[in-house]
Every structure is written in C-alpha cells, then in structure tokens.
C-alpha cells in the first residue's frame, strides 16, 4: 500500500525568499494537490547565526500572494507540530544519542584550533580535500580515539563537544532520485558531518531527517544544491533503522541567469531594473526596501505560470496554465535535469497575457486608484472603456495611467519627431476642415467619425492613410496608440473639437 502523500517546504529564515524557493514550494504544492496530499511549511532555523528577523513572515506572505495554501505549518498548526525547528530543539538530542549508542555517531571534542591544524597538516601532505573522516578521525580528539574513561571525564566536566556521524569507509551509497535516476556515491568521498552542535542545536542534516521521519514526509522535493547531502541523509535513515519510511527524493534543477551563465541572483534583477522577490522586502538591518512583483503590479497567476515552466514542461506546447490547470498537468517525471534560465522578459509576456484576459470592468477597478491619484473624478464606465482600448498596450496594471493620460487630460505637448514628419503641407488645412465637419456631425461614434474623416479627405483629394497619424497626434499628442476612431468616439465631440483647435494653434495652421 502506498503511503499518504505528505510534502514539505522547508526554508531556512536566512533572508528573503529567492525565486528558486518559490518554485520549490510550487512544485511541492502541485504534487500535494494533485495527489490529494498534505502540504507542510516547516521552518528550519537551527542555524541561529544566520537567522534574519522578518524572513519567516516574508516567506509566508510571498507564498500566500502566489495562492499556495498550507495544510500544516508554523502559521496554521497541525498534528505534527511544532513546525519551527527551534521549538523542537529538546527532542533532537535523543536521536543523536541513539546513533551514538548504536555505533553510528560519536562525540568529538576538538577545538577550532585543532581542526584548523588538522586541515593545515593534510594540506601540507597534499590531500586535496582535507576532511574529518574515517582516516583522519583516529588522530583527533573524539570518543572513538580517546579512552572511554577520558571521554566520560570530559563529558562529566562539561567540556564542549559536537556529535559527528561515523561515515563508513568505502561503502557504496545509492540514492534514487525521481528526476535524476540513481545517483551513486562512495562514502569515502563523504566526511563525518556534525549532527549535533556544541550550542545544543542539531545541524540541518539531523533535524531535517528526523523531522521528515516524524512528520511522515513521503516526498522530499528540493533544490539541486541539496543533492550532495542526500547520500548522508540516506545513511542516516539506515542508521536509524528507518529505511521503510525513507521518502522519495526529487532534486530540482537550478535557476540560471537570463543569459544562462551561472546561478540566478538578485543582481540580475537589479541590472535590468526589475523586481526579483515576490513581494516587497525590507532589509531589517539597513531599512532598505526592494520592490517586489506584487507591489510592482504583476499578477500572481502570471508569476506562478512563469515559474512553473522553469524546469518543467507539460509535454506539449501549451504555455498558459492557471494554478488549477497546473495541478492537473504537473508531474515530477517531466522536470528536467538541466538548469532553467530565468528570463525576466518572459515573465512580462505572461503578465500581458493575463492582463489581456481580465474582464475590462475588473481591470478598471484595479487601475481606478491611479486615476484618482492623478486628481480625476472616477467614472467607472469611462475607465472601463479606456481599459478596453489600452489593455493590449500594458504590461503591468501600474502602466495604465502613464500610457493613458491623454484620455483624461488633453495633450499640451506633441511628439516632436512625429510633428516634424506629419504636420506639414496639406495637413493643417485638412485638420481645419475636419474640425468644421466634426462640429456639424449629429451622430458621434467610431464609424460616423471615421466616415466623416474619409469624406473630408476625399473632398480635398487627400489619402486618409497619410493624414491618420497627424490626426492622432492632434488628439493624443502621440504618434501611436489604440484604434483612433474608438478613441475619438470615447472622448466625445466637444473634447475632440477642442483638441483639434488647440493643435492647430500650437502646431500651426499652415
Ligand atoms: N532548510 C533547507 C533550505 O533552506 C531545506 C532543504 C530541504 O528541503 O531539505 O533549503
């Protein structure tokens, strides 16, 4: 019988959540939802020196914005709590002791200086990677090398110690990874990792394995950077006698820089002047705030859709997936081994797709605050129409007012290059004639104004195509924009006539 699906996202609160972390959470979430499993948030804060205040809250808020809800975790509770490792501190020691008792771990009393001396010694002897391992441990101060009574004396005296894993010598360790297949490592390449520290805290490795076991985790889905630690984790399951409960492993490929060279970092966003984190992050030390996708005006659906295709593909060329559709389509077997480029431009493309698919009235609600902030009275019907005309020209919700200002205020400046190129010869005369014709028009809509435009041009033996951009310039101040007669209809006769009059005075009548 297969065991219930229980997956965890297990970040360390050492800073703002990297996009790679959001994607890891997402893939865990998708698997859990697809298989009717449980999605758990566990905070791995055993390294107190790297703790950053606010990071945990930031992680929770980022994932909430993305639409991922946890079933168990620090903020929602659950039957396997507490879910913050610092609060589980008292229980880890017994597990380390269990490994000492069954011969898989030992006490080590070496000082920082003694460890440094060992490394120096090995370097001089040309050892490529100096390690505390089955060969070197015999010359160090630990419960395997020291007489039993001295070990006891040191423990009784309260000497500082750590507990290390007794890595077997020359043993093949096999890790089955859903994405990578079998990964085989010889234990001689691995060192005697510290499992329990002198400050009374477990290390990542011990706490992670013990908690995965106690929380009945069925699949460990995490970043590729943890693959080298997995052989140790497998050995720990064996040392505890927990082989039966060992989760399945899936290590996700790295997120790479947009140009594909090296690991993605926040600097890549900075370089492009684009956000990097899901939501605003305020550095608790400097008070400096970095703008997030949420605050910049990206849709969480677009962000999630974008992230989902970094390292995973649906097997066909579909690109647009809602969260529910991803739940249906996702599979770990379709996750690639190789790194995925983080293409900021592609995220913008996704955002455009989602923006275009929003009902205009809904988009209008989103942009209305920008209109109010610019000091205009709010007319939702009008704003909805502007959204209809402008949505294809926007990437972000926040672009709206910037590119639609002329719907709300008549232009006072005209794009110079366009004016120089188009406002000449017969144009001022045509615009003067058009203004008069418009004034006399009784029906004002897109087709009547367009017909009037064409007739006026024909009467003057001019081609409408050559006049269109000049007309647009007069009405909007710009050389490009949405369907011009839709704009004409929306602004209304009085406004259009006034704008033509202003353009004629400013740009010249002849
Ligand atoms: N605490 C580790 C991290 O910050 C978790 C790795 C894992 O999922 O095992 O990524």
């Amino acid at each position: 019988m297969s065991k219930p699906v229980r997956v965890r996202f297990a970040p360390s609160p050492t800073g703002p959540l990297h996009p790679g972390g959001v994607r890891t959470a997402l893939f865990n979430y998708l698997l859990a939802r697809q298989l009717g499993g449980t999605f758990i948030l566990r905070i791995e804060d055993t390294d107190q020196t790297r703790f950053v205040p606010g990071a945990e809250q930031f992680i929770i808020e980022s994932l909430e914005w993305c639409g991922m809800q946890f079933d168990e975790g620090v903020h929602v509770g659950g039957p396997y709590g507490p879910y913050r490792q610092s609060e589980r501190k008292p229980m880890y020691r017994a597990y380390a002791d269990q490994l000492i008792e069954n011969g898989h771990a030992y006490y080590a009393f070496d000082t920082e200086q003694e460890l440094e001396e060992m490394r120096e010694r090995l370097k001089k002897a040309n050892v490529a990677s100096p390690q505390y391992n089955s060969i070197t441990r015999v010359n160090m101060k630990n419960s395997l090398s020291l007489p039993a009574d001295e070990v006891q004396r040191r423990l009784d005296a309260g000497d500082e110690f750590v507990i290390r894993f007794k890595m077997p010598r020359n043993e093949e360790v096999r890790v089955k990874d859903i994405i990578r297949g079998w990964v085989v490592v010889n234990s001689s390449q691995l060192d005697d990792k510290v499992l329990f520290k002198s400050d009374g805290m477990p290390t990542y490795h011990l706490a992670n394995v013990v908690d995965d076991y106690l929380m009945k985790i069925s699949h460990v889905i995490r970043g590729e950077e943890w693959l080298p630690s997995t052989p140790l984790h497998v050995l720990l399951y064996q040392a505890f006698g927990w082989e039966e409960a060992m989760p399945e492993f899936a290590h996700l490929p790295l997120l790479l820089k947009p140009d594909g060279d090296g690991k993605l970092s926040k600097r890549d966003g900075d370089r492009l002047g684009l956000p990097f984190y899901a939501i605003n992050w305020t550095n608790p030390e400097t008070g400096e705030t970095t703008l997030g996708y949420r605050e910049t005006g990206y849709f969480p659906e677009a962000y999630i859709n974008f992230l989902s295709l970094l390292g995973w593909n649906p097997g066909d060329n579909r690109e647009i997936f809602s969260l529910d559709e991803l739940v249906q389509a996702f599979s770990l077997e379709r996750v690639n081994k190789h790194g995925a480029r983080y293409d900021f431009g592609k995220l913008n493309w996704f955002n455009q797709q989602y923006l275009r698919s929003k009902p205009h009235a809904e988009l209008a609600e989103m942009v209305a605050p920008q209109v109010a902030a610019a000091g205009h009275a709010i007319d939702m019907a009008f704003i909805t129409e502007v959204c209809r005309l402008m949505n294809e020209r926007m990437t972000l919700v926040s672009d709206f007012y910037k590119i639609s200002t002329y719907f709300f205020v008549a232009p006072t400046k005209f794009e110079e290059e366009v004016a120089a190129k188009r406002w000449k010869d017969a144009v001022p005369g045509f615009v003067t004639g058009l203004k008069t014709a418009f004034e006399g028009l009784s029906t004002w809509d897109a087709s009547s104004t367009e017909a009037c435009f064409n007739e006026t041009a024909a009467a003057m033996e001019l081609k409408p195509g050559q006049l269109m951009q000049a007309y647009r310039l007069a009405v909007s101040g710009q050389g490009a924009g949405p369907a011009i007669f839709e704009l004409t209809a929306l602004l209304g006769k009085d406004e259009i006539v006034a704008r033509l009059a202003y353009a004629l005075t400013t740009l010249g009548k002849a």
Side-chain angles (χ1 to χ4, degrees):
M1 203 187 75
S2 62
K3 45 185 180 179
V5 170
R6 292 177 56 80
V7 295
R8 84 302 192 272
F9 179 53
S12 299
T14 54
L17 184 61
H18 186 276
V22 182
R23 189 202 48 178
T24 298
L26 175 64
F27 286 8
N28 274 283
Y29 172 86
L30 295 177
L31 192 81
R33 288 293 170 269
Q34 183 177 74
L35 302 177
T38 306
F39 179 50
I40 302 159
L41 177 64
R42 182 173 76 220
I43 296 293
E44 302 208 322
D45 57 349
T46 55
D47 189 350
Q48 309 264 289
T49 61
R50 295 182 60 215
F51 179 80
V52 173
E56 178 182 309
Q57 196 44 44
F58 181 86
I59 291 165
I60 293 172
E61 226 183 296
S62 299
L63 299 178
E64 252 165 29
W65 177 68
C66 292
M68 291 179 246
Q69 248 107 41
F70 286 96
D71 307 307
E72 293 174 25
V74 268
H75 55 315
V76 288
Y80 295 87
Y83 293 90
R84 199 178 281 112
Q85 288 184 328
S86 56
E87 289 169 23
R88 303 170 68 80
K89 181 176 170 181
M91 61 205 271
Y92 297 112
R93 179 63 199 268
Y95 290 96
D97 286 346
Q98 185 186 329
L99 293 183
I100 293 182
E101 277 152 33
N102 68 16
H104 287 291
Y106 60 90
Y107 297 106
F109 302 99
D110 316 275
T111 62
E112 221 9 87
Q113 197 190 336
E114 285 163 341
L115 291 170
E116 191 46 44
E117 282 164 8
M118 169 199 46
R119 285 189 284 262
E120 285 306 314
R121 232 177 14 249
L122 292 173
K123 257 191 237 157
K124 279 201 190 109
N126 278 328
V127 175
S129 53
Q131 285 186 330
Y132 204 117
N133 58 21
S134 62
I135 296 173
T136 55
R137 72 167 83 103
V138 292
N139 296 317
M140 303 301 289
K141 293 204 174 63
N142 54 58
S143 57
L144 300 176
S145 63
L146 298 172
D149 57 343
E150 176 166 1
V151 172
Q152 200 50 55
R153 191 186 52 71
R154 280 175 175 263
L155 292 175
D156 292 344
D159 279 11
E160 273 203 1
F161 65 85
V162 298
I163 298 174
R164 285 183 182 270
F165 185 67
K166 190 180 166 198
M167 185 58 71
R169 186 183 294 188
N170 197 18
E171 211 173 83
E172 208 165 72
V173 192
R174 296 163 64 79
V175 177
K176 183 155 186 247
D177 186 277
I178 297 176
I179 297 164
R180 282 147 220 277
W182 285 101
V183 178
V184 184
V185 179
N186 190 290
S187 65
S188 304
Q189 290 167 350
L190 307 172
D191 62 342
D192 289 0
K193 277 271 178 300
V194 174
L195 300 177
F196 199 84
K197 296 177 284 185
S198 56
D199 64 1
M201 274 286 197
T203 58
Y204 156 73
H205 303 290
L206 181 70
N208 186 269
V209 166
V210 166
D211 285 347
D212 282 348
Y213 172 73
L214 294 176
M215 294 180 182
K216 299 199 164 55
I217 298 305
S218 63
H219 298 73
V220 166
I221 304 167
R222 61 186 170 195
E224 180 183 298
E225 64 273 27
W226 301 103
L227 187 59
S229 302
T230 311
L232 169 66
H233 298 176
V234 167
L235 289 171
L236 280 170
Y237 278 94
Q238 291 168 358
F240 280 118
W242 297 338
E243 287 99 326
E244 290 295 306
M246 190 148 74
E248 294 193 51
F249 293 99
H251 288 90
L252 308 176
L254 282 180
L255 295 190
L256 305 177
K257 293 182 178 304
D259 55 21
D261 250 347
K263 226 171 120 174
L264 173 73
S265 83
K266 177 169 177 297
R267 259 163 294 145
D268 298 309
D270 294 346
R271 206 158 28 84
L272 297 161
L274 291 169
F276 187 70
Y277 301 125
I279 61 175
N280 272 8
W281 164 251
T282 302
N283 183 320
E285 262 174 39
T286 61
E288 202 186 317
T289 295
T290 338
L291 207 57
Y293 289 120
R294 178 179 67 184
E295 289 78 2
T296 311
Y298 285 84
F299 295 121
E301 307 93 292
Y303 182 51
I304 282 302
N305 196 158
F306 164 69
L307 285 179
S308 73
L309 292 168
L310 296 179
W312 170 78
N313 70 81
D316 52 36
N317 48 19
R318 263 187 311 164
E319 286 194 287
I320 302 294
F321 289 90
S322 68
L323 198 51
D324 286 342
E325 287 164 345
L326 285 172
V327 167
Q328 296 301 318
F330 184 72
S331 81
L332 282 173
E333 284 72 21
R334 296 210 70 91
V335 175
N336 307 322
K337 283 199 262 295
H338 46 262
R341 283 188 195 181
Y342 193 88
D343 178 353
F344 289 80
K346 188 77 192 192
L347 172 55
N348 283 339
W349 180 84
F350 275 108
N351 211 69
Q352 282 166 350
Q353 308 310 307
Y354 280 86
L355 196 143
R356 286 172 197 183
S357 69
K358 294 266 178 234
H360 303 134
E362 202 179 301
L363 190 56
E365 295 289 342
M366 296 180 198
V367 303
Q370 297 171 40
V371 179
H376 305 293
I378 295 299
D379 173 347
M380 284 316 289
F382 181 76
I383 299 175
T384 303
E385 279 301 288
V386 181
C387 286
R388 181 172 71 80
L389 295 181
M390 296 303 278
N391 66 347
E392 302 222 341
R393 299 175 173 271
M394 298 160 65
T395 298
L396 302 171
V397 168
S398 55
D399 292 337
F400 176 77
Y401 190 74
K402 212 168 38 220
I403 64 165
S404 312
T405 312
Y406 58 79
F407 283 87
F408 301 90
V409 214
T412 51
K413 282 202 238 61
F414 300 90
E415 250 179 72
E416 276 172 28
E417 257 178 56
V418 183
K421 200 163 143 212
R422 300 289 180 203
W423 200 269
K424 58 185 186 195
D425 308 330
V427 165
F430 167 74
V431 173
T432 308
L434 180 66
K435 178 172 154 294
T436 311
F438 274 175
E439 279 165 338
L441 207 57
S442 52
T443 311
W444 189 265
D445 58 29
S447 55
S448 65
T449 51
E450 180 170 10
C452 177
F453 185 97
N454 291 339
E455 283 156 22
T456 309
M460 299 175 77
E461 292 183 359
L462 295 168
K463 290 215 176 73
Q466 292 163 350
L467 305 164
M468 211 69 95
Q469 207 186 11
Y471 172 61
R472 182 188 292 286
L473 182 74
V475 166
S476 70
Q478 297 179 15
I484 185 65
F485 295 107
E486 300 268 351
L487 168 63
T488 304
L490 182 59
L491 287 184
K493 182 155 126 179
D494 293 349
E495 182 66 22
I496 292 290
V497 167
R499 289 188 183 193
L500 295 184
Y502 181 82
L504 285 166
T505 358
T506 314
L507 294 169
K509 290 198 166 76

